[in-house]
PDB file of all heavy atoms in Angstrom:
ATOM      1  N   ASP W 349      90.469  88.382 113.350  1.00  0.00           N
ATOM      2  CA  ASP W 349      91.474  88.846 112.404  1.00  0.00           C
ATOM      3  C   ASP W 349      92.664  89.356 113.215  1.00  0.00           C
ATOM      4  O   ASP W 349      92.474  89.990 114.259  1.00  0.00           O
ATOM      5  CB  ASP W 349      90.948  89.967 111.504  1.00  0.00           C
ATOM      6  CG  ASP W 349      91.823  90.194 110.280  1.00  0.00           C
ATOM      7  OD1 ASP W 349      92.866  90.875 110.430  1.00  0.00           O
ATOM      8  OD2 ASP W 349      91.488  89.699 109.195  1.00  0.00           O
ATOM      9  N   PRO W 350      93.894  89.090 112.763  1.00  0.00           N
ATOM     10  CA  PRO W 350      95.055  89.530 113.545  1.00  0.00           C
ATOM     11  C   PRO W 350      95.277  91.036 113.544  1.00  0.00           C
ATOM     12  O   PRO W 350      95.875  91.570 114.477  1.00  0.00           O
ATOM     13  CB  PRO W 350      96.226  88.789 112.882  1.00  0.00           C
ATOM     14  CG  PRO W 350      95.757  88.439 111.524  1.00  0.00           C
ATOM     15  CD  PRO W 350      94.286  88.221 111.636  1.00  0.00           C
ATOM     16  N   VAL W 351      94.800  91.764 112.512  1.00  0.00           N
ATOM     17  CA  VAL W 351      95.084  93.205 112.452  1.00  0.00           C
ATOM     18  C   VAL W 351      93.894  94.075 112.056  1.00  0.00           C
ATOM     19  O   VAL W 351      93.927  95.285 112.268  1.00  0.00           O
ATOM     20  CB  VAL W 351      96.256  93.506 111.485  1.00  0.00           C
ATOM     21  CG1 VAL W 351      97.545  92.859 111.972  1.00  0.00           C
ATOM     22  CG2 VAL W 351      95.926  93.066 110.065  1.00  0.00           C
ATOM     23  N   ALA W 352      92.843  93.510 111.469  1.00  0.00           N
ATOM     24  CA  ALA W 352      91.781  94.324 110.879  1.00  0.00           C
ATOM     25  C   ALA W 352      90.583  94.561 111.790  1.00  0.00           C
ATOM     26  O   ALA W 352      89.616  95.211 111.374  1.00  0.00           O
ATOM     27  CB  ALA W 352      91.298  93.686 109.569  1.00  0.00           C
ATOM     28  N   VAL W 353      90.629  94.077 113.022  1.00  0.00           N
ATOM     29  CA  VAL W 353      89.491  94.250 113.928  1.00  0.00           C
ATOM     30  C   VAL W 353      89.115  95.723 114.128  1.00  0.00           C
ATOM     31  O   VAL W 353      87.927  96.077 114.077  1.00  0.00           O
ATOM     32  CB  VAL W 353      89.766  93.559 115.282  1.00  0.00           C
ATOM     33  CG1 VAL W 353      88.806  94.057 116.361  1.00  0.00           C
ATOM     34  CG2 VAL W 353      89.651  92.046 115.137  1.00  0.00           C
ATOM     35  N   PRO W 354      90.070  96.638 114.347  1.00  0.00           N
ATOM     36  CA  PRO W 354      89.676  98.044 114.548  1.00  0.00           C
ATOM     37  C   PRO W 354      88.878  98.624 113.379  1.00  0.00           C
ATOM     38  O   PRO W 354      87.929  99.388 113.590  1.00  0.00           O
ATOM     39  CB  PRO W 354      91.018  98.764 114.724  1.00  0.00           C
ATOM     40  CG  PRO W 354      91.937  97.713 115.272  1.00  0.00           C
ATOM     41  CD  PRO W 354      91.523  96.454 114.566  1.00  0.00           C
ATOM     42  N   ASN W 355      89.241  98.259 112.159  1.00  0.00           N
ATOM     43  CA  ASN W 355      88.511  98.772 110.998  1.00  0.00           C
ATOM     44  C   ASN W 355      87.111  98.174 110.913  1.00  0.00           C
ATOM     45  O   ASN W 355      86.155  98.865 110.528  1.00  0.00           O
ATOM     46  CB  ASN W 355      89.290  98.476 109.717  1.00  0.00           C
ATOM     47  CG  ASN W 355      90.541  99.319 109.598  1.00  0.00           C
ATOM     48  OD1 ASN W 355      90.621 100.411 110.158  1.00  0.00           O
ATOM     49  ND2 ASN W 355      91.535  98.827 108.879  1.00  0.00           N
ATOM     50  N   ALA W 356      86.980  96.899 111.263  1.00  0.00           N
ATOM     51  CA  ALA W 356      85.652  96.272 111.255  1.00  0.00           C
ATOM     52  C   ALA W 356      84.767  96.852 112.345  1.00  0.00           C
ATOM     53  O   ALA W 356      83.555  97.024 112.157  1.00  0.00           O
ATOM     54  CB  ALA W 356      85.790  94.768 111.429  1.00  0.00           C
ATOM     55  N   ARG W 357      85.360  97.170 113.477  1.00  0.00           N
ATOM     56  CA  ARG W 357      84.584  97.705 114.592  1.00  0.00           C
ATOM     57  C   ARG W 357      83.942  99.055 114.215  1.00  0.00           C
ATOM     58  O   ARG W 357      82.864  99.397 114.694  1.00  0.00           O
ATOM     59  CB  ARG W 357      85.476  97.867 115.821  1.00  0.00           C
ATOM     60  CG  ARG W 357      84.695  98.043 117.120  1.00  0.00           C
ATOM     61  CD  ARG W 357      85.659  98.293 118.270  1.00  0.00           C
ATOM     62  NE  ARG W 357      86.533  97.174 118.532  1.00  0.00           N
ATOM     63  CZ  ARG W 357      86.221  96.145 119.314  1.00  0.00           C
ATOM     64  NH1 ARG W 357      85.035  96.107 119.894  1.00  0.00           N
ATOM     65  NH2 ARG W 357      87.090  95.175 119.522  1.00  0.00           N
ATOM     66  N   ILE W 358      84.625  99.816 113.360  1.00  0.00           N
ATOM     67  CA  ILE W 358      84.068 101.099 112.909  1.00  0.00           C
ATOM     68  C   ILE W 358      82.753 100.883 112.178  1.00  0.00           C
ATOM     69  O   ILE W 358      81.809 101.673 112.301  1.00  0.00           O
ATOM     70  CB  ILE W 358      85.082 101.826 111.997  1.00  0.00           C
ATOM     71  CG1 ILE W 358      86.324 102.237 112.795  1.00  0.00           C
ATOM     72  CG2 ILE W 358      84.446 103.041 111.335  1.00  0.00           C
ATOM     73  CD1 ILE W 358      87.449 102.764 111.932  1.00  0.00           C
ATOM     74  N   ILE W 359      82.658  99.795 111.427  1.00  0.00           N
ATOM     75  CA  ILE W 359      81.469  99.519 110.629  1.00  0.00           C
ATOM     76  C   ILE W 359      80.375  98.834 111.448  1.00  0.00           C
ATOM     77  O   ILE W 359      79.215  99.242 111.439  1.00  0.00           O
ATOM     78  CB  ILE W 359      81.829  98.647 109.407  1.00  0.00           C
ATOM     79  CG1 ILE W 359      82.800  99.389 108.486  1.00  0.00           C
ATOM     80  CG2 ILE W 359      80.569  98.237 108.641  1.00  0.00           C
ATOM     81  CD1 ILE W 359      83.309  98.551 107.340  1.00  0.00           C
ATOM     82  N   PHE W 360      80.751  97.782 112.186  1.00  0.00           N
ATOM     83  CA  PHE W 360      79.745  96.939 112.835  1.00  0.00           C
ATOM     84  C   PHE W 360      79.551  97.253 114.319  1.00  0.00           C
ATOM     85  O   PHE W 360      78.624  96.730 114.935  1.00  0.00           O
ATOM     86  CB  PHE W 360      80.120  95.462 112.659  1.00  0.00           C
ATOM     87  CG  PHE W 360      80.056  94.997 111.239  1.00  0.00           C
ATOM     88  CD1 PHE W 360      81.204  94.922 110.467  1.00  0.00           C
ATOM     89  CD2 PHE W 360      78.851  94.664 110.655  1.00  0.00           C
ATOM     90  CE1 PHE W 360      81.152  94.504 109.149  1.00  0.00           C
ATOM     91  CE2 PHE W 360      78.786  94.246 109.342  1.00  0.00           C
ATOM     92  CZ  PHE W 360      79.933  94.164 108.590  1.00  0.00           C
ATOM     93  N   GLU W 361      80.439  98.069 114.863  1.00  0.00           N
ATOM     94  CA  GLU W 361      80.346  98.476 116.265  1.00  0.00           C
ATOM     95  C   GLU W 361      80.122  97.255 117.154  1.00  0.00           C
ATOM     96  O   GLU W 361      80.896  96.310 117.110  1.00  0.00           O
ATOM     97  CB  GLU W 361      79.244  99.536 116.429  1.00  0.00           C
ATOM     98  CG  GLU W 361      79.541 100.811 115.639  1.00  0.00           C
ATOM     99  CD  GLU W 361      78.470 101.859 115.783  1.00  0.00           C
ATOM    100  OE1 GLU W 361      77.299 101.497 116.036  1.00  0.00           O
ATOM    101  OE2 GLU W 361      78.807 103.058 115.650  1.00  0.00           O
ATOM    102  N   ASN W 362      79.051  97.227 117.940  1.00  0.00           N
ATOM    103  CA  ASN W 362      78.833  96.133 118.878  1.00  0.00           C
ATOM    104  C   ASN W 362      77.872  95.066 118.358  1.00  0.00           C
ATOM    105  O   ASN W 362      77.408  94.219 119.122  1.00  0.00           O
ATOM    106  CB  ASN W 362      78.292  96.691 120.201  1.00  0.00           C
ATOM    107  CG  ASN W 362      79.299  97.597 120.885  1.00  0.00           C
ATOM    108  OD1 ASN W 362      80.504  97.343 120.836  1.00  0.00           O
ATOM    109  ND2 ASN W 362      78.814  98.660 121.511  1.00  0.00           N
ATOM    110  N   ALA W 363      77.613  95.097 117.056  1.00  0.00           N
ATOM    111  CA  ALA W 363      76.696  94.105 116.484  1.00  0.00           C
ATOM    112  C   ALA W 363      77.303  92.712 116.475  1.00  0.00           C
ATOM    113  O   ALA W 363      76.576  91.706 116.434  1.00  0.00           O
ATOM    114  CB  ALA W 363      76.293  94.511 115.070  1.00  0.00           C
ATOM    115  N   ILE W 364      78.627  92.627 116.493  1.00  0.00           N
ATOM    116  CA  ILE W 364      79.310  91.343 116.548  1.00  0.00           C
ATOM    117  C   ILE W 364      80.379  91.398 117.635  1.00  0.00           C
ATOM    118  O   ILE W 364      80.732  92.459 118.131  1.00  0.00           O
ATOM    119  CB  ILE W 364      79.958  90.973 115.194  1.00  0.00           C
ATOM    120  CG1 ILE W 364      81.055  91.986 114.825  1.00  0.00           C
ATOM    121  CG2 ILE W 364      78.908  90.899 114.088  1.00  0.00           C
ATOM    122  CD1 ILE W 364      81.803  91.616 113.553  1.00  0.00           C
ATOM    123  N   ASP W 365      80.899  90.219 117.981  1.00  0.00           N
ATOM    124  CA  ASP W 365      82.035  90.135 118.901  1.00  0.00           C
ATOM    125  C   ASP W 365      83.315  90.060 118.085  1.00  0.00           C
ATOM    126  O   ASP W 365      83.319  89.614 116.929  1.00  0.00           O
ATOM    127  CB  ASP W 365      81.911  88.897 119.794  1.00  0.00           C
ATOM    128  CG  ASP W 365      80.671  88.937 120.671  1.00  0.00           C
ATOM    129  OD1 ASP W 365      80.325  90.036 121.140  1.00  0.00           O
ATOM    130  OD2 ASP W 365      80.052  87.876 120.878  1.00  0.00           O
ATOM    131  N   TYR W 366      84.432  90.475 118.681  1.00  0.00           N
ATOM    132  CA  TYR W 366      85.712  90.517 117.980  1.00  0.00           C
ATOM    133  C   TYR W 366      86.790  89.832 118.815  1.00  0.00           C
ATOM    134  O   TYR W 366      86.743  89.847 120.052  1.00  0.00           O
ATOM    135  CB  TYR W 366      86.147  91.967 117.724  1.00  0.00           C
ATOM    136  CG  TYR W 366      85.110  92.825 117.043  1.00  0.00           C
ATOM    137  CD1 TYR W 366      84.186  93.547 117.799  1.00  0.00           C
ATOM    138  CD2 TYR W 366      85.063  92.926 115.661  1.00  0.00           C
ATOM    139  CE1 TYR W 366      83.241  94.347 117.185  1.00  0.00           C
ATOM    140  CE2 TYR W 366      84.117  93.720 115.045  1.00  0.00           C
ATOM    141  CZ  TYR W 366      83.205  94.436 115.808  1.00  0.00           C
ATOM    142  OH  TYR W 366      82.267  95.219 115.192  1.00  0.00           O
ATOM    143  N   THR W 367      87.767  89.287 118.123  1.00  0.00           N
ATOM    144  CA  THR W 367      88.912  88.707 118.819  1.00  0.00           C
ATOM    145  C   THR W 367      90.107  88.654 117.888  1.00  0.00           C
ATOM    146  O   THR W 367      89.954  88.606 116.658  1.00  0.00           O
ATOM    147  CB  THR W 367      88.602  87.287 119.332  1.00  0.00           C
ATOM    148  OG1 THR W 367      89.737  86.775 120.048  1.00  0.00           O
ATOM    149  CG2 THR W 367      88.272  86.343 118.176  1.00  0.00           C
ATOM    150  N   THR W 368      91.294  88.675 118.455  1.00  0.00           N
ATOM    151  CA  THR W 368      92.524  88.470 117.690  1.00  0.00           C
ATOM    152  C   THR W 368      93.123  87.107 118.008  1.00  0.00           C
ATOM    153  O   THR W 368      94.287  86.856 117.727  1.00  0.00           O
ATOM    154  CB  THR W 368      93.549  89.583 117.994  1.00  0.00           C
ATOM    155  OG1 THR W 368      93.782  89.627 119.403  1.00  0.00           O
ATOM    156  CG2 THR W 368      93.051  90.935 117.517  1.00  0.00           C
ATOM    157  N   ASN W 369      92.316  86.224 118.570  1.00  0.00           N
ATOM    158  CA  ASN W 369      92.751  84.867 118.912  1.00  0.00           C
ATOM    159  C   ASN W 369      91.815  83.868 118.251  1.00  0.00           C
ATOM    160  O   ASN W 369      90.603  83.886 118.494  1.00  0.00           O
ATOM    161  CB  ASN W 369      92.757  84.693 120.433  1.00  0.00           C
ATOM    162  CG  ASN W 369      93.258  83.317 120.853  1.00  0.00           C
ATOM    163  OD1 ASN W 369      92.531  82.333 120.755  1.00  0.00           O
ATOM    164  ND2 ASN W 369      94.492  83.271 121.322  1.00  0.00           N
ATOM    165  N   ILE W 370      92.352  82.992 117.411  1.00  0.00           N
ATOM    166  CA  ILE W 370      91.512  82.047 116.673  1.00  0.00           C
ATOM    167  C   ILE W 370      90.765  81.117 117.614  1.00  0.00           C
ATOM    168  O   ILE W 370      89.569  80.849 117.438  1.00  0.00           O
ATOM    169  CB  ILE W 370      92.355  81.227 115.676  1.00  0.00           C
ATOM    170  CG1 ILE W 370      92.970  82.117 114.606  1.00  0.00           C
ATOM    171  CG2 ILE W 370      91.486  80.153 115.009  1.00  0.00           C
ATOM    172  CD1 ILE W 370      93.833  81.363 113.612  1.00  0.00           C
ATOM    173  N   GLU W 371      91.456  80.608 118.621  1.00  0.00           N
ATOM    174  CA  GLU W 371      90.822  79.641 119.510  1.00  0.00           C
ATOM    175  C   GLU W 371      89.662  80.260 120.280  1.00  0.00           C
ATOM    176  O   GLU W 371      88.649  79.602 120.537  1.00  0.00           O
ATOM    177  CB  GLU W 371      91.863  79.040 120.446  1.00  0.00           C
ATOM    178  CG  GLU W 371      92.891  78.197 119.705  1.00  0.00           C
ATOM    179  CD  GLU W 371      93.830  77.441 120.630  1.00  0.00           C
ATOM    180  OE1 GLU W 371      93.574  77.419 121.843  1.00  0.00           O
ATOM    181  OE2 GLU W 371      94.805  76.860 120.129  1.00  0.00           O
TER     182      GLU W 371
END
Side-chain angles (χ1 to χ4, degrees):
D349 196 280
V351 297
V353 163
N355 289 334
R357 196 184 296 274
I358 294 171
I359 297 174
F360 294 98
E361 298 180 333
N362 296 323
I364 64 176
D365 298 323
Y366 308 90
T367 182
T368 56
N369 182 283
I370 296 179
E371 294 188 10

